[in-house]
Amino acid sequence: MTTSPDTVDSTTAAGGRLRTVLSAGERPARATAVSATLTHLWRAMMAFKHFPVQLIDIVLMPLIFLLMFTYLFGGAFADSTEEYLQFYLPGVTVQAVVMMTVYTGTSLNTDIHKGIFDRFRTLPFWQPATLAGSLLGDVLRYVVALATTVSLGLLLGFRPDGGFLGVLAAVLVLIVFGFSVSWIFAALGVVASEPERVSGTSMIVLYPLLFMSNIFVMPETMPGWMQAVVDANPMSHAATASRELMHGTAGFWDVGLVLCVSAGLVAVFAPLTMRLYRNKNAH
Amino acid sequence: MNTQPTWAIETSGLVKVYNGTRAVDGLDLSVPTGLVYGILGPNGSGKSTTIRMLATLLRPDGGTARVFGHDVTDEPDTVRRRISVTGQYASVDEGLTGTENLVMMGRLQGYSWARARERAAELIDGFGLGDARDRLLKTYSGGMRRRLDIAASIVVTPDLLFLDEPTTGLDPRSRNQVWDIVRALVNAGTTVLLTTQYLDEADQLADRVAVIDHGRMIAEGTTGELKSSLGSNVLRLRLHDARSRAEAERLLSAELGVTVHRDSDPAALTARIDDPRQAMRALAELSRTPLEVRSFSLGQSSLDEVFLALTGHPAEDRHAEETAEEERAA
Ligand SMILES: Nc1ncnc2c1ncn2[C@@H]1O[C@H](COP(=O)(O)OP(=O)(O)OP(=O)(O)O)[C@@H](O)[C@H]1O
Ligand SMILES: [Mg+2]
């Protein structure tokens, strides 16, 4: 190979500089599980910072639902659209968060097949930190979705009797709920061969769950068996808790139930997802 | 460490099967510490699969593999503390900047935020990526990405570094830079296992080379040993008219006393010889016949010829890549 003299000079210089930046012998102690998780959370935050446009996609869906249901069906479902808005807004926030959790599954699936994950897998840190960090990062999406939905609601005439604190409490409970549900879709995201599979499967499960709940209408006019389904549906519990917190009528049990369901979901799906991820590595 | 075993890598009967095809088929590899070991093989010969098993990314279907005496399946975490991998396709985060990628690597290996940022800055400067430090990886060129990828592998200098085709697709200048990096690392005590499709690269960098094909090792030794086992020189001949190849082949093999190979190019012939004077005599003989020679050259074995000699079949895809490479270099 022919190399011009200046090429030789510059690469030799690079070689010289390189020798000085090798971390000769320095070997830090293994990163703790917490610090590895926080680093992955930081990775998710930086990715949002560099590509904020993705947040727009996230907020559009709940806004469309809010406008559509309030003005299209609101008058039919309740005495007036304003009255329906008071009922529907706390429900649509549940819907907003739960639909966001599907994004968690699809984006995890896309992410997992990228080259960077090979590198993660060869580093000696607590491997589930990769999943925990990115799921925590997705909490940001829930916050954004909730903030825009509630803000638009307020503009349209939503008047929560629970005041600011009531709304804030509802938002916090929904974030916990969303984070818990996201582990279900994370499990799907880990096993699925492609992101379309994740979103396809998720929507088939999710839409019936969303509609067979008390998010849109109360179940009084439904047939008995359907009422049973609605009452058992965790989406209904979340919507009830959200409604009661926003309107200042929250009972201890309704909120407690949602938190228990959330804890249960995490207890089952977090270890399952981590296990699936670990086994996926071992092919 | 004074209990350092002499072998960085030891595999025995290593096997990986994909849907019935044996991507790696009973590989016995022994890589001594402190040197550059090259795995040379054509597309699909099992280089990446081997690296992925050694780097704890794939579970072997048979045989054993030890890295510094630790089994890759039984003690992956211990192995991971000693190794680093730069995969064939960039193992960096496209959505982050160069600096952020390196900071993340430092953090995940236990550095504090402050020390991780310091290391990132040192490496960015050391690898000549200062102007691109705050640019997203997706805006990097292939050569820049490769350098960042290697930088990410040595945030903490590993005892063993895997480089899977580190210079494929790089221009000669970037390739030289990568070679410099490898040499600097080995001087600092790191063992490097690299795969390559280029005999030239193995020759320049590697102390020992394993040639693999269809997941099996077909030759092993120092580059010097390999070349002398192949005959030191190769005569390449291209005729004006492909129809006269048979006649030229007869004449050359009679004159040289060795087997003359037909290339995939219908007008070309190659022969491996020990003494350049043989070639000169044969060419002189050829010039006395009406056969017209368009060009000839005498040089070292290319990967194609190594493969032809060792396996009896040429290394596929090599030709197209080499031509592209020469065009880029020109
Ligand atoms: N994930 C996979 N699924 C099925 N077959 C695979 C998979 N990965 C590799 N193979 C097969 O295993 C064989 C070896 O592939 P490998 O990637 O190890 O080759 P390689 O030597 O790295 O080639 P290259 O020079 O093209 O990178 C090939 O036949 C390939 O098709
Ligand atoms: Mg490969």
Side-chain angles (χ1 to χ4, degrees):
Chain A
M1 183 172 11
T2 53
T3 32
S4 64
D6 65 279
T7 310
V8 171
D9 280 356
S10 64
T11 54
T12 314
R17 247 182 313 160
L18 276 171
R19 272 182 276 281
T20 64
V21 302
L22 300 177
S23 72
E26 183 183 357
R27 203 166 283 283
R30 187 181 198 259
T32 64
V34 173
S35 96
T37 305
L38 289 178
T39 304
H40 280 286
L41 175 60
W42 176 79
R43 168 181 182 252
M45 294 297 168
M46 290 300 119
F48 271 118
K49 192 182 101 182
H50 296 307
F51 189 47
V53 185
Q54 59 181 307
L55 291 178
I56 295 178
D57 300 347
I58 293 172
V59 300
L60 276 180
M61 185 80 116
L63 295 189
I64 289 168
F65 265 92
L66 179 57
L67 291 172
M68 199 171 71
F69 272 80
T70 306
Y71 292 105
L72 220 53
F73 307 124
F77 289 169
D79 293 337
S80 67
T81 50
E82 287 91 88
E83 199 179 308
Y84 184 66
L85 183 63
Q86 311 308 316
F87 172 81
Y88 180 50
L89 189 110
V92 81
T93 52
V94 175
Q95 192 189 347
V97 164
V98 169
M99 289 198 312
M100 265 337 88
T101 62
V102 177
Y103 269 94
T104 298
T106 49
S107 61
L108 187 65
N109 184 272
T110 315
D111 217 18
I112 242 172
H113 294 108
K114 287 183 183 156
I116 185 71
F117 269 68
D118 275 352
R119 196 182 276 290
F120 290 155
R121 287 177 193 135
T122 56
L123 292 177
F125 62 84
W126 182 66
Q127 289 295 305
T130 308
L131 299 174
S134 55
L135 263 61
L136 282 172
D138 283 343
V139 164
L140 182 71
R141 299 186 190 194
Y142 313 151
V143 172
V144 172
L146 287 170
T148 45
T149 312
V150 172
S151 305
L152 181 68
L154 291 171
L155 275 178
L156 297 178
F158 175 62
R159 294 294 169 263
D161 299 327
F164 175 75
L165 285 181
V167 173
L168 185 69
V171 165
L172 289 177
V173 169
L174 291 179
I175 286 173
V176 171
F177 183 67
F179 176 74
S180 316
V181 173
S182 72
W183 282 102
I184 303 176
F185 297 106
L188 259 176
V190 169
V191 290
S193 53
E194 53 220 8
E196 291 72 29
R197 289 264 168 83
V198 183
S199 48
T201 315
S202 307
M203 288 307 166
I204 291 169
V205 178
L206 214 54
Y207 272 98
L209 271 179
L210 284 173
F211 283 97
M212 284 192 275
S213 74
N214 64 19
I215 289 178
F216 303 94
V217 285
M218 287 312 272
E220 272 84 61
T221 59
M222 300 175 189
W225 64 270
M226 182 72 104
Q227 283 192 28
V229 173
V230 171
D231 287 339
N233 185 347
M235 305 291 167
S236 302
H237 302 146
T240 303
S242 168
R243 222 161 253 151
E244 292 180 346
L245 284 167
M246 288 194 189
H247 289 305
T249 59
F252 176 75
W253 288 113
D254 287 319
V255 177
L257 184 61
V258 174
L259 295 178
C260 284
V261 168
S262 301
L265 286 175
V266 175
V268 173
F269 283 95
L272 175 73
T273 311
M274 289 173 181
R275 205 193 150 90
L276 290 170
Y277 179 68
R278 224 186 268 265
N279 289 344
K280 193 182 179 83
N281 296 353
H283 279 310
Chain B
M1 214 172 289
N2 46 17
T3 54
Q4 187 89 321
T6 32
W7 300 114
I9 300 170
E10 273 180 289
T11 76
S12 136
L14 198 61
V15 170
K16 183 73 202 178
V17 183
Y18 282 120
N19 322 316
T21 51
R22 298 171 87 82
V24 174
D25 191 6
L27 202 61
D28 300 317
L29 207 61
S30 300
V31 178
T33 53
L35 45 73
V36 181
Y37 194 96
I39 295 184
L40 187 65
N43 289 143
S45 54
K47 302 184 295 296
S48 300
T49 308
T50 304
I51 285 208
R52 292 177 65 81
M53 285 192 283
L54 294 173
T56 75
L57 285 169
L58 267 183
R59 191 188 289 277
D61 292 326
T64 56
R66 294 176 171 279
V67 169
F68 296 114
H70 302 283
D71 192 281
V72 292
T73 349
D74 298 342
E75 303 172 80
D77 267 342
T78 319
V79 171
R80 286 173 185 167
R81 285 194 64 78
R82 313 282 302 271
I83 63 164
S84 245
V85 195
T86 302
Q88 182 169 4
Y89 306 104
S91 24
V92 289
D93 195 332
E94 298 285 318
L96 300 185
T97 66
T99 300
E100 286 164 358
N101 263 286
L102 297 180
V103 169
M104 177 167 72
M105 286 311 134
R107 288 283 303 155
L108 292 177
Q109 288 176 89
Y111 279 130
S112 66
W113 284 106
R115 183 72 188 119
R117 284 185 205 287
E118 216 169 84
R119 278 298 288 152
E122 282 169 16
L123 285 162
I124 289 268
D125 291 334
F127 278 71
L129 291 167
D131 296 336
R133 66 176 73 236
D134 294 324
R135 270 167 48 191
L136 293 185
L137 255 290
K138 47 182 159 224
T139 71
Y140 276 37
S141 76
M144 293 162 74
R145 195 180 307 247
R146 211 10 118 174
R147 271 181 283 155
L148 190 94
D149 209 340
I150 297 176
S153 297
I154 63 170
V155 171
V156 175
T157 310
D159 294 326
L160 171 62
L161 175 63
F162 295 101
L163 295 173
D164 196 358
E165 298 195 26
T167 64
T168 302
L170 298 191
D171 68 15
R173 189 200 154 111
S174 306
R175 177 172 3 181
N176 273 333
Q177 288 175 334
V178 170
W179 288 355
D180 278 335
I181 294 165
V182 171
R183 292 189 185 110
L185 276 165
V186 173
N187 281 336
T190 298
T191 307
V192 177
L193 179 83
L194 65 85
T195 70
T196 179
Q197 303 183 34
Y198 307 122
L199 188 65
D200 175 40
E201 179 160 86
D203 201 12
Q204 291 268 348
L205 271 186
D207 301 289
R208 291 189 78 80
V209 177
V211 183
I212 66 168
D213 189 36
H214 295 299
R216 292 174 164 279
M217 192 187 291
I218 53 177
E220 207 266 352
T222 64
T223 43
E225 284 166 4
L226 277 182
K227 274 198 231 141
S228 57
S229 77
L230 289 171
S232 46
N233 290 296
V234 175
L235 173 66
R236 300 181 185 82
L237 191 77
R238 195 149 185 277
L239 299 161
H240 200 80
D241 186 351
R243 280 168 300 183
S244 51
R245 181 157 84 163
E247 199 185 332
E249 186 186 343
R250 260 193 313 278
L251 193 144
L252 276 184
S253 57
E255 205 55 45
L256 294 168
V258 297
T259 324
V260 176
H261 297 281
R262 294 166 176 229
D263 266 20
S264 47
D265 176 347
L269 290 167
T270 56
R272 189 159 287 113
I273 52 173
D274 292 324
D275 186 350
R277 275 173 303 184
Q278 284 174 285
M280 287 154 72
R281 275 195 299 274
L283 287 168
E285 203 54 46
L286 204 58
S287 72
R288 279 191 277 277
T289 71
L291 295 172
E292 273 189 74
V293 174
R294 176 173 281 179
S295 65
F296 67 86
S297 70
L298 191 61
Q300 286 204 324
S301 316
S302 71
L303 181 65
D304 256 342
E305 285 135 9
V306 173
F307 266 84
L308 208 53
L310 293 171
T311 66
H313 72 83
E316 277 128 65
D317 297 347
R318 165 70 179 168
H319 207 76
E321 279 204 34
E322 195 171 53
T323 319
E325 184 80 15
E326 275 157 11
E327 271 164 19
R328 261 197 304 275

